[in-house]
Amino acid sequence: MSKKMGMLGRKMGMTRIFSETGTSIAVTVIEAGPCVVLQKKTAAKEGYDAIQIGFGPKKESRLNKAESGHVKTAGKGGFHHIKEFRVTDPGAYEVGQEINLTDLLNVGDIVDVRARTKGRGFQGVVKRYGFKGGRATHGSMFHRAPGSIGCSAWPSRVIKGKKMPGQMGDRMITKKNCTVIDIRPEQNVIVLKGGVPGAKQALVQIYKKS
């Protein structure tokens, strides 16, 4: 598994900015961090090197006893989201340490962004895969159907992996090679070029490219 350090954030939405030449650039605004180190895991004890971070403050009254005990060592309260990141040297971090944008990223860096896409529900092949469909007129009786899907005498079954109607969206997607256009540390905001997966307020994972 790749050992890429990253942090958690919340997608705030999309907008645009203008370059020095007046070109309009579509960007995604993400509130990233601060993240708090909750636990260090080492190859000697757990079998792999990683740190566990928390993002999004959560009232202590909303924590159950297991959650309260887990975050007690860090002393920074509870968190809505907890995630592990593989690292090369867990000893470089301390439990309770805050990880901010400027500790990890700079303007011009390339990052990967992972998030859950918007759920589209059960959809047909036209919307799900972009099938053209049939004629809409002259009584064709074939409009948005997938068409022939099976085989004849042999093997007399539908081959696995064929594009069919089904659940669309609501799955984890990684958008690779996003450029950091701007960082505003006083607001914990990072501006990335282009779109990233997920709806507004969705949790995103940001990985710095090595």
Side-chain angles (χ1 to χ4, degrees), residues 65-126:
K65 288 187 178 180
E67 292 171 334
S68 180
H70 185 67
V71 301
K72 184 178 180 180
T73 306
K76 295 296 179 70
F79 298 92
H80 282 283
H81 308 288
I82 296 177
K83 168 73 178 173
E84 279 188 7
F85 287 90
R86 296 290 184 100
V87 295
T88 304
D89 182 18
Y93 303 89
E94 297 296 333
V95 174
Q97 174 186 344
E98 282 194 358
I99 301 176
N100 297 296
L101 274 173
T102 52
D103 298 330
L104 186 67
L105 300 173
N106 296 298
V107 174
D109 284 348
I110 305 298
V111 298
D112 293 343
V113 181
R114 184 168 175 81
R116 185 169 294 277
T117 60
K118 294 180 181 179
R120 306 295 184 181
F122 191 97
Q123 298 296 335
V125 293
V126 173

Side-chain angles (χ1 to χ4, degrees), residues 154-167:
W154 184 90
S156 301
R157 61 186 175 87
V158 178
I159 304 301
K160 286 184 178 181
K162 189 168 288 292
K163 294 179 179 179
M164 299 280 284
Q167 166 66 34

Side-chain angles (χ1 to χ4, degrees), residues 4-5 105 110-112 176-178 207-210:
K4 294 189 294 185
M5 181 52 192
L105 300 173
I110 305 298
V111 298
D112 293 343
K176 294 187 175 182
N177 302 326
C178 299
Y207 297 87
K208 182 177 180 180
K209 301 281 281 189
S210 57

Side-chain angles (χ1 to χ4, degrees), residues 15 41 51 56 61 105 117 127 157 169 177 204 208:
T15 184
K41 296 191 175 183
I51 62 170
S61 60
L105 300 173
T117 60
K127 181 170 182 177
R157 61 186 175 87
N177 302 326
V204 298
K208 182 177 180 180

